[in-house]
Amino acid sequence: MDRYRPVDPRESPRFSGVKSFMRLPHLKTTEGVDFAVVGVPFDTGASFRVGARFGPEAIRNVSALLRHHNEVLDVSIFDHLSGVDYGDLPVNPGYIEDSYRMIEEGLQPILEAEVTPIMLGGDHSVTLPILRALAKKHGPVALIHFDSHSDTGDKRFGRKYTHGTPFRRAVEEELVQVERSIQVGMRGSTYSRDSLDDARALGFDLVTSVEGQEMGIQKMIERIHDRVGDTETFVSFDVDFVDPAYAPGTGTPEVGGFTSSEALRLVRGLEGLNIVAFDLVEVLPQYDPSQITALLAANIAYEFISLIALRKSASKE
Amino acid sequence: MDRYRPVDPRESPRFSGVKSFMRLPHLKTTEGVDFAVVGVPFDTGASFRVGARFGPEAIRNVSALLRHHNEVLDVSIFDHLSGVDYGDLPVNPGYIEDSYRMIEEGLQPILEAEVTPIMLGGDHSVTLPILRALAKKHGPVALIHFDSHSDTGDKRFGRKYTHGTPFRRAVEEELVQVERSIQVGMRGSTYSRDSLDDARALGFDLVTSVEGQEMGIQKMIERIHDRVGDTETFVSFDVDFVDPAYAPGTGTPEVGGFTSSEALRLVRGLEGLNIVAFDLVEVLPQYDPSQITALLAANIAYEFISLIALRKSASKE
Amino acid sequence: MDRYRPVDPRESPRFSGVKSFMRLPHLKTTEGVDFAVVGVPFDTGASFRVGARFGPEAIRNVSALLRHHNEVLDVSIFDHLSGVDYGDLPVNPGYIEDSYRMIEEGLQPILEAEVTPIMLGGDHSVTLPILRALAKKHGPVALIHFDSHSDTGDKRFGRKYTHGTPFRRAVEEELVQVERSIQVGMRGSTYSRDSLDDARALGFDLVTSVEGQEMGIQKMIERIHDRVGDTETFVSFDVDFVDPAYAPGTGTPEVGGFTSSEALRLVRGLEGLNIVAFDLVEVLPQYDPSQITALLAANIAYEFISLIALRKSASKE
Amino acid sequence: MDRYRPVDPRESPRFSGVKSFMRLPHLKTTEGVDFAVVGVPFDTGASFRVGARFGPEAIRNVSALLRHHNEVLDVSIFDHLSGVDYGDLPVNPGYIEDSYRMIEEGLQPILEAEVTPIMLGGDHSVTLPILRALAKKHGPVALIHFDSHSDTGDKRFGRKYTHGTPFRRAVEEELVQVERSIQVGMRGSTYSRDSLDDARALGFDLVTSVEGQEMGIQKMIERIHDRVGDTETFVSFDVDFVDPAYAPGTGTPEVGGFTSSEALRLVRGLEGLNIVAFDLVEVLPQYDPSQITALLAANIAYEFISLIALRKSASKE
Amino acid sequence: MDRYRPVDPRESPRFSGVKSFMRLPHLKTTEGVDFAVVGVPFDTGASFRVGARFGPEAIRNVSALLRHHNEVLDVSIFDHLSGVDYGDLPVNPGYIEDSYRMIEEGLQPILEAEVTPIMLGGDHSVTLPILRALAKKHGPVALIHFDSHSDTGDKRFGRKYTHGTPFRRAVEEELVQVERSIQVGMRGSTYSRDSLDDARALGFDLVTSVEGQEMGIQKMIERIHDRVGDTETFVSFDVDFVDPAYAPGTGTPEVGGFTSSEALRLVRGLEGLNIVAFDLVEVLPQYDPSQITALLAANIAYEFISLIALRKSASKE
Amino acid sequence: MDRYRPVDPRESPRFSGVKSFMRLPHLKTTEGVDFAVVGVPFDTGASFRVGARFGPEAIRNVSALLRHHNEVLDVSIFDHLSGVDYGDLPVNPGYIEDSYRMIEEGLQPILEAEVTPIMLGGDHSVTLPILRALAKKHGPVALIHFDSHSDTGDKRFGRKYTHGTPFRRAVEEELVQVERSIQVGMRGSTYSRDSLDDARALGFDLVTSVEGQEMGIQKMIERIHDRVGDTETFVSFDVDFVDPAYAPGTGTPEVGGFTSSEALRLVRGLEGLNIVAFDLVEVLPQYDPSQITALLAANIAYEFISLIALRKSASKE
């Protein structure tokens, strides 16, 4: 069950070696693999700060700190799973549509092999080709979307593809089961009174940060479970969901957000759901001098992997 | 009603252009103007770290992220208001009394034109000449003062004017209605047992951070409303009111402070009060490598503007 | 009672002068001294990031911000205590066992003189020789240990002494009364399912971060008091106990931690206990561009000193 | 002759005010204007690091340090010239061909009004639409290109437009008089043995950094003058021409470069040439923590303006 | 002869201990002392960036790297000299004239005791009170002034005392023998054509950076020796004399400057002159993330001390 | 001939993928391999700043910028060589002698396979076990040592192994042919008058920075060639050989050093020598915010590889 597992931190110092995610084997293979960490170093869709192309590098570097056992979820990941760092998908910086095609195609062999991908962005524009690949494999999926922005804009400067529009496109292209989908954490000023209403009009359930802070983490978890049920689900986590104090290294930060504890509790609360893929986006290392954003991102990816391990473990019982 | 409004972020990328606050027109005018954002790049009053003279620049740069609609307060600012970036008031760095005179005189035409000023410091010493100008226009005003320090010291090294003394001076000069005034957020070690008692003895109501954290945000809002009533009010917000995790870029940080969510809730809770002017002080960009302090400051200024918009909107109904 | 006290910040600017802790007299003396701040600039025990050797320098630099009166505990430190900055204990960088001997020997004259030491690390490996010196003076002591890691590993790469093992060694060497000792704040992934169980098996009471966040600060304080009673006690505070948002400058940060307010409340909650020494470890200035970690560390040391002052004050009544 | 000139630094502190270039009037006008500083915040063409979209902001901020008189060239700029900060040209981030059209169109009114533009990038891909606009006005121009790369690649990942290809495109589109054009400063590893030969095969004279360092600054100046003669000339300066020690804040730095003194001497050495426009590209503030790259860029732009002033002055004699 | 010498770096690690300059004894004494390092943490005179008040702290921290023997000048400092870190002179931040009086008075006991002071600023405004104290002791002195600015402005915003005016004031107050004085390194844009001519008109010999780079280091040394002869001399070194690549951490950097090697050669070239005091100013740590500016400053101060040692050594032969 | 070569930067963006050196295959193999890049992330020997354990990671990250063809030496590396990133050798942080044994043993299989190693430190203490392994394979080798320190100290705090002593140990252990060995670049203050004389007394030829700057690069190259002749040679390059302006990210920087151009010329000047191994040490990323030190280090390693390629190429002619 542990064909591929990380270098053991008790045998080699964690700061040592070429930095793959969690120091997993860096192999572009799907054979004997349960999950694959996959970088998508693309940031041409960004509307303000850029640099998420170095997000996967930064997350990999600091992910060396992660250890094998998830204490809170009580699961030893590699008792149940075999995983690899698959490397990065090919992209063409500066060309969104080219890159969309390359990302979608690059992801397909992973999905076809029934390997669960943990995608590391890149800006949030990369989620659209991920959803396209998923829909090809699974049909429309439920979406759980943690973010301070709903990213359901229509066009920007006349163009349909940016990091502010993927979820409107996903609805239009019928990649998601919108009535099974939920967006959580929206906050900050908006372009107009309609901005969030538009997201709701598309069919999403939407919980703003202010609403979520009032209802509390447990209630949010319940609302997510109620919404997605046992549908095949995609989880998209924009690191700007948490407050800039906890995640300064991001492209369009919004103050007034969640803490790292709250984010971890929410992700752990997804236990039991039928999740087929994950992404974690918008880490910009040049705004993260102490690496705390990359560290939080690595930990959230780690919780994602733990959820896969728990599900695998439960399915065998 | 929208004679002057920002460059539309949907028409021009937010990172683009000469950076005025929110990319408002940079005009030294009061005609047809409801509010003016005004820099006061003065930091000669600082007792520890310096550099708040670059505060307005840093806040302007990152304020480009702000959009037109305040989702939580549900107000589209420029449906109700016309606003400009008035630039910076003249100051003489190194000379406090010169600068006090220049700031007071510089502010007068704005006040006389019934334009609501949003002042961006600078260190907290700039609040005294602001209060002098306000008192000339309005008589003594109520003061709502968010800060980790009461800034009611008497003299420092024999001198009356520093960033640790403005509110004592304001009481002595009868610029504030001290019985209508409240200071919130004081914490950190003090020079002596008397320090906060002295502030109270001057007549201020004072809520420390520890007290405020115990009573909760809603109670603090009520206490503020009870205190100031419908008096003409000045709001002074020192960014060190929030914890250094949320606002590292400041001159005399004190650990154990409020979060950005709490600060936003408090400011939004001022809705309905009769506020005639605002300041936001003590942003030091050289201690703010990820711009999160400047971003929080810009957002607080944005909430100030939203309060003006709400009041304008309400007055028309 | 105030033979040695800091330079008065009202008489000399706080940014001024050679930077001893709190600008106390820098004297290698114990005569007429109640407490001594002592640096231990040793980081050879670190398993991931290094640089804690510059921790004492960074803490001293920013400790200039501290003032004489603790407002929350209502104690004016130097009304009750005389204190010095004793400088740094000698260490031999690169050689753990040499340094252990030097630290233990360096600390002894302080303990023999009944001076309460506030030790500033350095990585957490320095706590073992501190405990050795304490046990020589006091016999085994109770331990209150705030940290995100239990530091009760056995060996790393075949060696017994690292910053991940001091508390197992302390139990083995009978330096602590383990049944009177408590570890608080553990979180993050672990090397195996047994990691925390091993700590508990050694005899420690252990409260994880998740448990602590659920039970609340007040309950944790009570649990600590119940555990240690009036035993002579050592307090060891690893700055990674707080969340990386509040303390980015540390060696093995773990997301999902406590806030600075919570940390301060916990430390203040130790009032009344019979504490004979303190340490504060794992501050790495090169990951702390805004000095907020060093500032928090300085404040925690300040609360330690305040506890000594309170106890001295109470004993006289 | 000085219709538009900067705020006088002797009358208002240089750190003060909304930051246009050199604190010139920020006006989108060409009337009564001799030169216009124009931002082109576009970085979608970048192949490695991104963030040049914030280059104009960073250069403007620190350009406040510049004063009116060029001591070395002995010219008081505003005795001869009227100038404005024209703001930024519109661009569509993420879309190169859209932006090329917008840049070309945006520049035309400036050229038509006989105003000399000083363009601030942005990455080097912006030079192609600048050359297109110039060619429309002037026909093919001579090119003086300072850079560590020749930027004469053909395609990258199948696409013709990136920051590595503008000068090949310019030759193909007959925008430059290649036999009158020169590239200076090439260094660093290349993709293949042919890389620089290809540039030479296109017709450019090319001086590598190693050759230039051997021949010396004066000889390089002579070679440039010999090459371009009195042809209408465009000067393109990539800040990576200088060594990363002097310009760390750039996208594809190459070690082994020129000093700031050498760069200034070279630019001053262009005196007397018939230059119709300038650009300065590839400043990335997020890699420039001390602002030295932006400061050097501002100074080079200042020398450009001084050259215009000298030519204007000479033409009147 | 070595009553006071640094902690021996072969006996205690250089990163260890409370950081006085070179880890010299921190003593406010002049008895048995040949030289005293004295901080002047005053930056109220600064016209652009501020923060030089933390200059002495930063220089002290990194000066721990300095060792006892000057290899190039071949002198073992403490074979000849006894020295102390005298701490900082009292200043009143925000009040220039107060501080001028405090600095002048603070320096007097050192001069009266025939101790050679090495003053660490602080901004360049501190040189005026230093010269006042020197003139009281020695009468007017020769001045050797390394700087990118001549600092001979008259008034700024109507005030006579800033960091841009000390040397005009010094001439007016007859503190320097201007016909024996020389300014070296001026460069950068100036406020007007007259700026440097004014300095020359005051009587100074003046060598610009461009002139100095042409004449070479050796010729500059000769010109300095010719100018000052054996007059009692004061050396003032503004760290912005070197290029920002070598000294990014300063207040008004000017590109196109000297290298660290050239600066060291120049200072060493002062051997044999009759120097009675030194200062080193304008180090701003917040713009110096890698501490290279502070390190260069510490080394220049070290060369100053070496010159004293050489002179003492020579006088005994 | 090119069994193993980097990912082609024309086929995949250079910022993409798991970061091995130059994006070479990360394989712990020697079969079909001409050179191997090998990390040695060990910094327990450091006497001042620490953090070189992250040097290999930082160099690998930015080495993605390197391309296949060395323009100056006119060699296309992978036309002649097959190379891999071998990963890091095992070390035991905190334990020098353990690590020495691990490094020596780890290197042996590479040497035995006649693969030329390019070792990336780590602090300079790692060179001793490298020399031990080399001597086992080749017998004593000639040493070319670029550094600002001679690293020929005897003991520090009673211990023989630190980063200040490897070359004395190497002579004592007869690992080098000292009469064929040369040290270049020494500068900075020394512990005593004897420091450099001691190095010379050991038998090294030694050229200080001041001497080298006077004799010029070409003369230094000749002196090196004369010294080592055709002996089997090891090249050790401490990045502090260059000035801190060019390499701020290092542990014990010394001002007054060489430029990056000069360093490159020197290394290229080693062409023709019989070099059997290289190391590049003392890169500390936490003092290198703009990555310029890591970039220079990567380029020097690249020149090393180019020298191997040239020699291979020549041997075939």
Side-chain angles (χ1 to χ4, degrees), chain F residues 46-282:
Chain F
S47 60
F48 194 68
R49 295 171 178 168
V50 267
R53 61 180 64 181
F54 290 104
E57 176 180 300
I59 297 169
R60 283 181 175 117
N61 285 342
V62 79
S63 74
L65 272 168
L66 298 167
R67 304 176 198 85
H68 295 204
H69 184 68
N70 187 317
E71 187 65 29
V72 180
L73 293 179
D74 192 23
V75 64
S76 285
I77 292 172
F78 300 97
D79 289 357
H80 307 288
L81 299 178
S82 160
V84 296
D85 186 325
Y86 193 83
D88 287 354
L89 296 186
V91 297
N92 189 352
Y95 291 92
I96 294 182
E97 296 183 46
D98 285 10
S99 299
Y100 273 12
R101 197 182 54 250
M102 295 159 94
I103 295 167
E104 184 183 346
E105 289 173 6
L107 183 52
Q108 269 167 351
I110 296 168
L111 297 176
E112 279 159 19
E114 311 284 343
V115 172
T116 308
I118 315 285
M119 316 296 293
L120 305 177
D123 69 45
H124 222 151
S125 71
V126 306
T127 301
L128 185 60
I130 293 171
L131 284 168
R132 286 175 179 168
L134 282 169
K136 255 189 200 146
K137 166 75 182 172
H138 297 284
V141 291
L143 171 73
I144 303 170
H145 174 204
F146 299 103
D147 199 334
S148 66
H149 312 94
S150 74
D151 293 350
T152 50
D154 190 354
K155 292 184 179 181
R156 197 185 52 189
F157 314 126
R159 291 289 179 176
K160 295 199 305 181
Y161 303 118
T162 78
H163 76 159
T165 61
F167 298 105
R168 176 175 295 271
R169 294 293 94 80
V171 174
E172 291 170 355
E173 300 182 16
E174 299 184 4
L175 310 174
V176 297
Q177 296 187 36
V178 73
E179 72 288 355
R180 285 290 180 195
S181 295
I182 183 165
Q183 298 188 303
V184 182
M186 284 69 223
R187 65 180 184 276
S189 55
T190 55
Y191 289 132
S192 75
R193 174 164 281 121
D194 305 328
S195 296
L196 295 187
D197 291 342
D198 284 0
R200 290 186 183 104
L202 285 169
F204 287 110
D205 187 18
L206 188 153
V207 181
T208 67
S209 281
V210 165
E211 290 164 356
Q213 286 160 351
E214 274 167 20
M215 78 173 69
I217 300 299
Q218 192 48 42
K219 285 253 169 68
M220 275 193 279
I221 291 171
E222 289 163 17
R223 183 143 155 192
I224 292 168
H225 278 256
D226 288 351
R227 183 76 175 181
V228 306
D230 58 0
T231 321
E232 286 177 313
T233 298
F234 177 64
V235 177
S236 188
F237 196 106
D238 185 321
V239 82
D240 69 22
F241 174 78
V242 296
D243 194 274
Y246 294 83
T250 195
T252 45
E254 301 288 350
V255 300
F258 292 92
T259 69
S260 66
S261 291
E262 291 168 335
L264 291 175
R265 285 182 59 202
L266 274 169
V267 174
R268 288 170 187 151
L270 305 181
E271 186 185 338
L273 296 176
N274 181 12
I275 303 171
V276 295
F278 304 82
D279 73 17
L280 185 297
V281 298
E282 298 281 357

Side-chain angles (χ1 to χ4, degrees), chain A residues 127-292:
Chain A
T127 300
L128 184 60
I130 294 171
L131 284 168
R132 285 175 178 168
L134 282 169
K136 255 189 200 145
K137 167 73 182 171
H138 297 284
V141 292
L143 171 74
I144 303 170
H145 175 205
F146 299 103
D147 199 334
S148 66
H149 313 93
S150 73
D151 294 352
T152 50
D154 189 353
K155 293 186 178 179
R156 196 184 54 188
F157 314 126
R159 292 288 178 175
K160 295 199 304 179
Y161 302 118
T162 80
H163 76 158
T165 61
F167 297 105
R168 175 176 295 272
R169 294 292 94 79
V171 175
E172 291 169 354
E173 301 183 14
E174 299 185 3
L175 311 174
V176 297
Q177 297 187 36
V178 72
E179 72 289 353
R180 286 289 181 196
S181 296
I182 183 165
Q183 299 189 302
V184 182
M186 285 69 221
R187 66 181 183 275
S189 55
T190 54
Y191 289 134
S192 74
R193 175 164 279 119
D194 305 326
S195 296
L196 296 187
D197 292 342
D198 284 0
R200 290 186 183 104
L202 285 170
F204 288 110
D205 187 17
L206 189 154
V207 181
T208 68
S209 282
V210 166
E211 290 165 355
Q213 286 160 352
E214 273 166 21
M215 78 173 68
I217 301 299
Q218 193 48 43
K219 284 253 170 69
M220 273 193 280
I221 292 170
E222 288 162 19
R223 183 144 156 190
I224 293 167
H225 278 256
D226 288 351
R227 182 78 174 178
V228 305
D230 58 1
T231 321
E232 286 178 314
T233 297
F234 178 64
V235 176
S236 187
F237 195 107
D238 185 322
V239 83
D240 69 22
F241 174 79
V242 297
D243 193 273
Y246 294 82
T250 195
T252 45
E254 301 288 349
V255 301
F258 292 91
T259 70
S260 66
S261 292
E262 292 168 332
L264 291 174
R265 285 182 58 204
L266 272 169
V267 174
R268 289 170 187 151
L270 305 181
E271 187 185 339
L273 296 177
N274 182 13
I275 303 172
V276 295
F278 303 83
D279 72 19
L280 185 296
V281 299
E282 298 281 357
V283 173
L284 276 75
Q286 280 309 111
Y287 296 83
D288 192 33
S290 304
Q291 307 178 306
I292 65 172

Side-chain angles (χ1 to χ4, degrees), chain C residues 21-22 24 35 37 66 75 77-78 81 118 278 298 300-310:
Chain C
F21 187 82
M22 241 188 125
L24 283 164
F35 74 91
V37 178
L66 298 167
V75 63
I77 292 171
F78 301 97
L81 299 178
I118 314 286
F278 303 82
I300 287 169
Y302 177 83
E303 297 294 334
F304 290 163
I305 298 170
S306 302
L307 292 173
I308 306 171
L310 276 176

Side-chain angles (χ1 to χ4, degrees), chain B residues 15 17 19 41 53 57 61 88, chain D residues 15 17 19 41 57 61 88:
Chain B
F15 51 78
K19 293 294 162 45
R53 62 179 65 180
E57 177 181 300
N61 285 342
D88 287 354
Chain D
F15 52 77
K19 293 293 162 46
E57 177 181 300
N61 285 342
D88 287 354

